[in-house]
Amino acid sequence: VFEMTGEGIYGLSDYSALFLSDTRGIAAGAVVTPSETGNRCMMVEIQTLIAKTAYGLPRRMSLGVDFNRLVVLIAVLEKRCGVALGTQDVYLNAMGGIKLNEPSADLAVCAALVSAERMTAIDKYTAVFGEVGLTGEVRGVNFADKRVNECVKMGFKRVILPAKNMKACEKYKDKIELIPVNYVSQMLKVL
């Protein structure tokens, strides 16, 4: 990751902080996820906005996250968790222009959507990652220990992660609170 300045281009050692806002944890609808991009792990803030639709068909808009994944995750939240989004417009953005192509951001998207729907902010020191299946299960992801290590380095206090990845991340349990979940509904109770 490079920064362009008046003196030229410089490499950044603390690139994760670029994608996090100072106001996270105050407004509802935002959560941070550790994303594995290439050979680096970066903390990316996901923000959502939910508003009552003005027309018969609710609008879905996604920037930085695959549109079809957003639609599937909304369906999972409605069917498996009872979160009513059918009459709501949903806007989703991965901040900083990042493109999250991996399914490990699924659980964070669900957390941000529910936070926005319930108008309840998620603690700024909480990170979330995990793939979400159609049954509402939280599936394990690659590089879970690397993701948790990045959370520790960035000063996060707790991580909600797939239960299947817990064994690989236990070495960090004295540095950060690890909360394993098997289903999206469990994550919602924790939040």
Side-chain angles (χ1 to χ4, degrees):
V1 176
F2 299 94
E3 179 180 28
M4 178 63 124
T5 67
E7 290 81 40
I9 297 177
Y10 293 96
L12 294 176
S13 59
D14 185 18
Y15 48 84
S16 272
L18 284 176
F19 306 108
L20 303 179
S21 72
D22 294 333
T23 60
R24 74 180 197 276
I26 297 170
V31 71
V32 176
T33 189
S35 174
E36 186 68 29
T37 55
N39 63 351
R40 294 183 176 209
C41 187
M42 292 191 287
M43 303 302 282
V44 179
E45 185 173 348
I46 295 174
Q47 291 185 351
T48 58
L49 176 67
I50 296 177
K52 187 167 174 48
T53 188
Y55 307 103
L57 186 63
R59 180 179 172 134
R60 287 19 179 151
M61 191 174 125
S62 177
L63 298 171
V65 176
D66 180 58
F67 173 79
N68 293 321
R69 283 205 86 69
L70 171 62
V71 173
V72 166
L73 294 172
I74 290 170
V76 169
L77 285 172
E78 284 213 338
K79 184 68 176 177
R80 305 293 181 193
C81 302
V83 179
L85 297 171
T87 60
Q88 306 289 323
D89 291 337
V90 175
Y91 303 93
L92 173 70
N93 187 15
M95 301 307 290
I98 293 290
K99 301 251 185 289
L100 296 175
N101 296 321
E102 59 175 352
S104 71
D106 289 356
L107 195 61
V109 169
C110 289
L113 287 169
V114 172
S115 169
E117 191 268 338
R118 295 184 179 165
M119 290 301 297
T120 304
I122 295 173
D123 178 65
K124 71 186 276 182
Y125 296 109
T126 298
V128 180
F129 70 88
E131 181 179 357
V132 173
L134 292 178
T135 61
E137 71 173 319
V138 177
R139 301 173 57 103
V141 299
N142 295 330
F143 308 112
D145 59 333
K146 195 173 177 183
R147 295 171 201 273
V148 171
N149 184 43
E150 187 66 20
C151 293
V152 170
K153 286 195 309 191
M154 293 299 298
F156 283 77
K157 293 185 175 23
R158 70 179 184 163
V159 179
I160 300 173
L161 70 157
K164 292 181 174 112
N165 290 127
M166 187 62 184
K167 187 172 185 179
C169 300
E170 282 185 345
K171 59 188 168 190
Y172 298 106
K173 67 182 176 184
D174 59 333
K175 298 177 183 173
I176 194 167
E177 182 184 2
L178 301 172
I179 304 171
V181 294
N182 288 304
Y183 291 94
V184 177
S185 57
Q186 287 178 314
M187 184 261 312
L188 298 182
K189 288 176 185 171
V190 168
L191 289 177

